[in-house]
Every structure is written in C-alpha cells, then in structure tokens.
Amino acid sequence: MAPTIPDTMDAWVVDRPGPLSQRPLHPARLPVPEPVGRELLVRIEACAVCRTDLHLAEGDLLPRRPSTVPGHEAVGRVAAWGPHARPREEGERVGIAWLRGTCGRCRYCARGAENLCPSSRYTGWDADGGYAEYAVVDDRYAYRLPGDADPVALAPLLCAGIIGYRALERSEPPDGARVGIYGFGASAHLAAQVAVAKGAAVHVVTRSARARRLAAELGCASASPPDEGPPELLDSAVLFAPAGELVPKALESLDRGGTLAVAGIHLSDVPALNYQGHLFQERTLRSVTANTRADGRAFLDFAIANGIRVETERYPMSRADEALEALAAGAVTGAAVLVPGEG
C-alpha cells in the first residue's frame, strides 16, 4: 500500500539572505504542495547541496520569491500527479533538476538553446526545491532515474553532473585533449571523470590537499595547488571555483587555440586581462549558463553507462544548515547530500 500523503511537511527556507552566521536558511513547517496541470508530486529521497544554494542563502543570487525552499538536485518517488501530466506509475523514481521550465517559443528555444530562454524558470529559485520532504515538478522537466540505484549517489548528478558536463563540452576538448580543471568540488570531480573516460589527460588545480588525493584516485594525470598550476599547456580548461582571480591563471595555461569555460552562476571580479598574454593566439573565454534537457539526458546516460563515481557526504535533512556551512568552509569533498528522515 502506498504511503499516505500528509498535509504538512518539514522543509528549509531562505527568508532574508545574508551571512550564514545570521542563519538565512532556517527550518519551517509547510503545506505539502498539490500537483496541478502537468506537475508530479515527488516524495524526496535525497537532495544534494549545491554552491548555488549557498549563493541564494548569502544573497549573491538575489531571491525571486519570499521564503524559498532551496535545492535543485533532488531524487524521489512519484506520489501523485496533476490532471494533465503524462501517466506515471506510483513510486516511479524521478530527478528534479535546476532547469524547471522554458517558454518553448522564443528564438533561443527554437534553436535548441532553451538554457538561454528569457522566460526560463529554476528550481529552488523561482519555485520551491528539494530541501523538503515533498516537491512538485513539471513532468516534462523531470528525469526518469533507475529505481534500484542509490538515491544519494544519483542526486549530485542532477546539477553538479549536468552542469559539469555542459561546461566540459563548452571548453571543446579535442580528441586526446589536455584538460585543466580548476577547483575540485561536486561538479568538478564528475566532469573530470567524464573527460578521463573520453581519453583526456586531466590536470586538476585545487588548494585542497584532500581534493588532490581524490583527483589522483579518479585517474587524473596531475593534481597541483594554484601556485604551481598544471605541468603542461592545456587544450581546454574549466573553472569551477567561483574565484575570478583564477581566470588569468587559467588562460595563461592554455595552449594556442585553447578554450576556458567558466562554469559557475556567480564569479568574483576578474582582474584586468592582458590581450597578448591571455587571449592572443585564438584563446577563447566562455561562460556557461544553466543547461538544456538534452544536456541532462546525455550526461545521465553517460554517467550510468560508464559507472561515474560520486563522492558524497551524507547529512540528515534536519542538518541542512550544517551542510551548507561545510560547503562554504570548503570542508566537503565531492558533494554533500541531504536525506529526509535521518538523524
């Protein structure tokens, strides 16, 4: 017998963004949302913690609605659905990711660039996300996931994995590429594995000695601190750390014709660039904006087929604030994942 859907649920909300010391993320008791239209009601099994959640809590990313429930890497089971949703099996496992909706009509959507849609909406920003026991999602933007896999391992794939995959693609690594990865958190350690699986020599640059050890375990060719940099010139690179001061360093490490993709939604100020030293000889600097559903499907298929390893640190949902603090302090190797009903 399917579990009864309660009227209310435990959740976390951001009311007034600010320093974590001011507790911008706090617990709340909220009504369980009712699915309408094409929505699915999902009972959350796990939700990964993303740096975007931290940007929302601290105000780097301005809230678009009051008392927002963060979280856009949620895995759960379908508990109910709206009258216009595609028929589902109760208990089917789905993933709720960052991209929540697009208009489907603008020039960007028409050319397959729905990530640039001016009317795009995002989970945990425009609508409540997965730091809760239940969440709703439009069935067209939900990803079907294997029912027998570990939900804690699946959750980081839904943003860290997808955005890392898109950022790697935006850096255009050629066959047999020398790829640089700057920063080595949740997204970077997944993108690095994709690059290794595709035959690249991956060079990781990170200040964390623990992360450098993980990079070596995952088959990366080198792992060095920022003051050393990679041991050879790079064909492509991805900057995952939200540190603008690393942009010139990464550009300097590119070979002729190399491309640097900046993966984050927020970046500190970039110092002045020197055209001759940073951009000449057809070096390219690119940003990355969200992802398309096609990116999501391509990455999830690749990750499942290739056994991409997900390094996780498990937290009870009741300690979401502690998980966010650990992320802010750089104390999480891989991805922190919240689990309802534990602790």
Side-chain angles (χ1 to χ4, degrees):
M1 179 180 294
T4 302
I5 300 171
D7 294 327
T8 60
M9 64 180 184
D10 289 324
W12 290 83
V13 300
V14 174
D15 278 329
R16 295 185 179 88
L20 292 186
S21 60
Q22 298 178 8
R23 320 301 286 183
L25 179 71
H26 61 84
R29 190 74 184 170
L30 302 178
V32 170
E34 181 177 346
V36 298
R38 300 189 67 159
E39 288 181 337
L40 307 175
L41 175 66
V42 180
R43 177 174 54 83
I44 303 299
E45 296 176 293
C47 184
V49 178
C50 179
R51 187 163 291 277
T52 302
D53 304 332
L54 179 62
H55 293 322
L56 178 71
E58 293 189 318
D60 297 321
L61 192 64
L62 294 178
R64 289 183 170 177
R65 57 196 298 276
S67 301
T68 301
V69 177
H72 54 272
E73 299 176 89
V75 173
R77 302 281 184 173
V78 175
W81 50 87
H84 304 300
R86 180 173 63 81
R88 300 271 180 165
E89 291 184 10
E90 192 170 293
E92 177 184 334
R93 177 176 279 161
V94 298
I96 303 174
W98 175 236
L99 185 66
R100 187 178 189 87
T102 56
C103 74
R105 300 179 302 275
C106 69
R107 60 186 297 189
Y108 306 102
C109 288
R111 72 179 195 222
E114 65 181 3
N115 60 306
L116 300 179
C117 175
S119 301
S120 56
R121 301 177 70 249
Y122 300 97
T123 306
W125 193 18
D126 294 297
D128 287 340
Y131 282 31
E133 294 179 285
Y134 288 86
V136 292
V137 61
D138 186 312
D139 70 341
R140 295 167 294 183
Y141 292 82
Y143 293 99
R144 188 166 188 170
L145 297 173
D148 57 353
D150 177 8
V152 173
L154 290 173
L157 301 180
L158 292 163
C159 178
I162 294 172
I163 200 65
Y165 180 84
R166 182 173 182 85
L168 185 64
E169 292 290 296
R170 290 277 291 166
S171 74
E172 296 187 338
D175 292 341
R178 300 158 296 172
V179 175
I181 301 288
Y182 288 78
F184 207 66
S187 194
H189 91 288
L190 297 172
Q193 291 178 73
V194 172
V196 169
K198 291 186 174 185
V202 177
H203 299 287
V204 172
V205 178
T206 175
R207 63 185 181 182
S208 168
R210 185 178 173 189
R212 293 196 294 270
R213 290 193 294 271
L214 176 60
E217 292 172 12
L218 295 176
C220 296
S222 75
S224 55
D227 58 346
E228 293 182 15
E232 61 179 338
L233 290 175
L234 306 170
D235 299 301
S236 67
V238 182
L239 175 61
F240 288 99
E245 66 270 18
L246 291 179
V247 169
K249 291 180 177 293
L251 288 170
E252 288 170 1
S253 296
L254 291 178
D255 203 351
R256 299 175 182 218
T259 297
L260 170 65
V262 179
I265 194 172
H266 172 79
L267 187 72
S268 60
D269 289 344
V270 178
L273 298 179
N274 174 274
Y275 177 73
Q276 198 72 26
H278 297 133
L279 293 172
F280 191 55
Q281 295 176 331
E282 299 194 352
R283 297 180 181 91
T284 301
L285 174 61
R286 285 179 158 180
S287 66
V288 179
T289 299
N291 62 272
T292 66
R293 283 170 286 176
D295 294 325
R297 287 189 293 267
F299 169 71
L300 291 169
D301 288 347
F302 185 93
I304 292 167
N306 289 273
I308 296 298
R309 171 182 163 186
V310 185
E311 191 77 9
T312 60
E313 295 187 22
R314 191 177 183 123
Y315 284 80
M317 184 70 75
S318 59
R319 292 170 50 202
D321 54 344
E322 295 177 32
L324 208 60
E325 289 169 1
L327 179 66
V332 176
T333 299
V337 181
L338 308 176
V339 182
E342 291 192 352

